[in-house]
Amino acid sequence: MTSDTPIDKHNIHYPYTLLIPTGIFARGPGTLLQFGLCGNHDNPPKQSSASGSIKHGEQLQTTARTVLSEGTAVSYLECFLLCGMDSHCRLAEFNSDLLTCAVIGEYTSSGTTSNAHVWTFIRQTF
């Protein structure tokens, strides 16, 4: 479980994580009715199913972050698509001056700074 998993923090001391009927993840003792997530998880996704907010000219400042990948990209759309294809991605930054893309996992933000060359995608759905 990652630190930004949408989870009910009320019973955090329990050892198991499960999906409850309200549609959120919760901790429990392992004896409750449990629901499963079905699908073929061996095949990587072929298209982006993520949505989020796009900020142009604002670079997110982070005090801690996990860089999942860095490389070149010809457009911010290509960069954001790479983020949408990785379930661990929480943020993507495209630098139009350098044509670079950084795909970021978990992060802690300390605000934004102005940078005209940066497009930032902040993922909201997974």
Side-chain angles (χ1 to χ4, degrees):
M1 179 172 65
T2 62
S3 65
D4 59 348
T5 300
I7 189 167
D8 175 19
K9 306 282 191 227
H10 181 68
N11 295 318
I12 200 73
H13 61 281
Y14 282 115
Y16 298 98
T17 303
L18 52 117
L19 182 63
I20 61 174
T22 59
I24 63 170
F25 290 97
R27 300 291 286 198
T31 57
L32 304 171
L33 180 62
Q34 299 178 22
F35 296 84
L37 300 175
C38 299
N40 184 353
H41 303 289
D42 291 334
N43 294 331
K46 302 291 188 243
Q47 63 183 10
S48 173
S49 60
S51 64
S53 62
I54 297 173
K55 298 183 181 296
H56 179 228
E58 290 183 48
Q59 185 168 9
L60 198 65
Q61 297 301 301
T62 55
T63 53
R65 71 187 202 169
T66 303
V67 178
L68 302 174
S69 66
E70 287 183 294
T72 59
V74 295
S75 71
Y76 70 90
L77 293 174
E78 179 184 357
C79 182
F80 299 169
L81 180 64
L82 292 173
C83 179
M85 293 175 64
D86 186 342
S87 63
H88 296 103
C89 178
R90 303 296 186 259
L91 165 73
E93 288 180 344
F94 175 72
N95 186 313
S96 61
D97 189 36
L98 304 173
L99 295 180
T100 57
C101 176
V103 177
I104 310 299
E106 291 184 70
Y107 69 91
T108 304
S109 174
S110 59
T112 61
T113 58
S114 179
N115 186 332
H117 299 289
V118 173
W119 293 73
T120 302
F121 172 71
I122 301 171
R123 190 171 179 166
Q124 295 167 336
T125 63
F126 300 91

